[in-house]
């Protein structure tokens, strides 16, 4: 499942880059403002899609789903925000427990499952 998670992250990041490129008057590619805008678009996409559909765009494509660890339902808006902020920090997804749950999932009380 780790390979799927990495592929989903790459798809989400690539889609954020594409969205920024089609925004009129967006900062030139490779600039700090462009990078910040890409990060913001990435975070918003992941937060909203995870909260509303239980999976980011990339996770949906590769067949993964994010669930509340206790309720086994879509994560709440607060869980989605917290989980995404931890992902943006990069380190938490790299630290996984024996069950394969990243630190960001453990702290947000979420889990990743196959669809």
């Amino acid at each position: 499942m780790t390979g799927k998670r990495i592929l989903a992250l790459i798809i989400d990041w690539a889609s954020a880059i594409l969205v920024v490129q089609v925004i009129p008057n967006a900062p030139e590619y490779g600039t700090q403002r462009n990078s910040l805008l890409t990060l913001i678009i990435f975070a918003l996409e992941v937060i909203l899609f995870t909260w509303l559909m239980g999976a980011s765009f990339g996770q949906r494509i590769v067949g993964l789903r994010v669930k509340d660890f206790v309720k086994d339902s879509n994560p709440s808006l607060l869980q989605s925000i917290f989980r995404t902020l931890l992902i943006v920090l990069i380190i938490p997804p790299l630290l996984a427990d024996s069950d394969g749950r990243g630190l960001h999932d453990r702290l947000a009380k979420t889990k990743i499952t196959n669809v």
Side-chain angles (χ1 to χ4, degrees):
M1 192 177 326
T2 301
K4 282 184 162 184
R5 291 175 84 155
I6 292 169
L7 181 57
L9 186 63
I10 291 169
I11 292 169
D12 287 331
W13 190 255
S15 65
I17 291 170
L18 289 173
V19 168
V20 170
Q21 295 308 306
V22 299
I23 296 174
N25 301 320
E28 185 177 324
Y29 182 74
T31 63
Q32 270 189 319
R33 287 185 54 218
N34 179 281
S35 297
L36 180 60
L37 186 56
T38 301
L39 183 64
I40 291 168
I41 297 294
F42 168 82
L44 288 174
E45 179 261 322
V46 173
I47 288 168
L48 292 175
F49 282 33
T50 302
W51 172 49
L52 296 172
M53 298 188 315
S56 70
F57 179 68
Q59 289 167 337
R60 190 68 131 190
I61 289 173
V62 299
L64 295 176
R65 183 176 169 92
V66 180
K67 292 185 175 184
D68 182 298
F69 189 75
V70 177
K71 299 176 188 173
D72 206 39
S73 62
N74 285 357
S76 69
L77 177 58
L78 288 177
Q79 282 176 304
S80 296
I81 290 169
F82 185 57
R83 183 179 185 279
T84 303
L85 290 176
L86 291 172
I87 290 171
V88 168
L89 293 176
I90 297 174
I91 297 170
L94 299 177
L95 303 173
D97 63 13
S98 59
D99 294 330
R101 286 178 65 211
L103 183 58
H104 64 299
D105 280 321
R106 292 186 59 176
L107 293 173
K109 294 182 176 57
T110 57
K111 62 182 176 180
I112 294 280
T113 62
N114 286 308
V115 174

